[in-house]
Amino acid sequence: MKIITFAAIKGGVGKTTLTFNYGEWLARKGHKVLFIDLDHQCNLTQCYNIYESQNTIANAFKGGNVDIKQVKENISLIPGSVQLDSVERDLENSDKKNMLLYLWLEDNYEKKKLGQFDYILIDCRPDFATATKNAVAVSHAIISPLTPSEFGYNAKFNLSTRLEAFRKDVIDYRTRESYITAELYFLANMIRPN
């Protein structure tokens, strides 16, 4: 299983669109895909006409039940939650707040049959807060869309800097090795072909 997070510290760069399109393409190629919507706007969830308020990804952070919905052939989804930002605020003083998704995946691997998926694709909101850090902590790769602008260029360095600080912070204290092993890839997006 490959876990890929789509993240950027700038909104409107195409994270959700790229997550959706990549997942749909993988599914058409015969791969089983699980989407996790970590954006409290829930746009990825709503792409599949799901408007849930119970058993969403927010429960992975609160210890409740989380539903995995099959939305198409080869595509399943853990619905996003409009309450995720308030859940993040409630976790502010928790020592394990940045590893809760890791713990949920570990605890539910067998029960939720997560091994059936070839890819887990995680759509994040435009920040580097608790939910995004949780996504990064479980990922093999981070794809960060960039737009050709000064703000897009600045967002690239902002994400790189925060990711390196996060790598140094989340370590095994015995070995000094980081638990954060995801590779960061930047993807040019919204470029006029002229």
Side-chain angles (χ1 to χ4, degrees):
M1 170 192 317
K2 231 11 179 177
I3 304 176
I4 303 171
T5 289
F6 290 78
I9 303 181
K10 182 180 183 323
V13 296
K15 291 180 301 300
T16 300
T17 301
L18 287 168
T19 307
F20 174 83
N21 286 335
Y22 189 52
E24 288 278 333
W25 179 80
L26 287 168
R28 281 194 304 275
K29 295 286 185 186
H31 298 288
K32 291 198 69 145
V33 176
L34 173 63
F35 286 122
I36 299 178
D37 191 348
L38 280 182
D39 187 341
H40 68 281
Q41 292 180 31
C42 304
N43 292 329
L44 181 61
T45 299
Q46 293 169 7
C47 283
Y48 293 101
N49 294 316
I50 295 174
Y51 300 89
E52 299 290 323
S53 60
Q54 307 238 333
N55 301 334
T56 66
I57 191 60
N59 283 356
F61 296 92
K62 299 188 299 185
N65 189 40
V66 175
D67 287 340
I68 297 177
K69 299 189 172 292
Q70 182 165 1
V71 293
K72 284 177 87 170
E73 184 178 356
N74 292 334
I75 297 178
S76 296
L77 169 77
I78 296 178
S81 170
V82 295
Q83 300 299 319
L84 192 55
D85 54 343
S86 64
V87 170
E88 286 181 292
R89 280 193 300 274
D90 293 344
L91 293 170
E92 195 55 43
N93 295 321
S94 171
D95 291 340
K96 58 186 176 187
K97 68 181 177 184
N98 294 325
M99 299 300 282
L100 291 170
L101 185 57
Y102 181 95
L103 294 170
W104 184 86
L105 289 170
E106 183 75 23
D107 293 345
N108 289 278
Y109 188 83
E110 296 294 330
K111 183 169 40 170
K112 298 285 186 181
K113 299 182 176 125
L114 298 175
Q116 69 179 301
F117 297 105
D118 301 305
Y119 290 88
I120 295 178
L121 303 181
I122 305 174
D123 183 32
C124 295
R125 61 197 248 188
D127 64 15
F128 203 72
T130 300
T132 302
K133 287 179 179 176
N134 271 267
V136 167
V138 299
S139 293
H140 299 102
I142 304 159
I143 297 177
S144 184
L146 291 177
T147 55
S149 69
E150 180 181 351
F151 297 118
Y153 189 69
N154 291 338
K156 174 185 185 287
F157 292 105
N158 191 351
L159 180 59
S160 295
T161 301
R162 289 175 186 231
L163 178 59
E164 284 313 306
F166 189 43
R167 280 189 210 284
K168 291 175 183 170
D169 193 43
V170 183
I171 62 169
D172 180 330
Y173 292 105
R174 289 175 296 127
T175 65
R176 305 297 196 267
E177 294 291 320
S178 180
Y179 289 113
I180 311 306
T181 59
E183 295 291 326
L184 176 60
Y185 300 96
F186 292 101
L187 177 65
N189 199 26
M190 300 182 189
I191 297 174
R192 264 191 235 150
N194 57 359

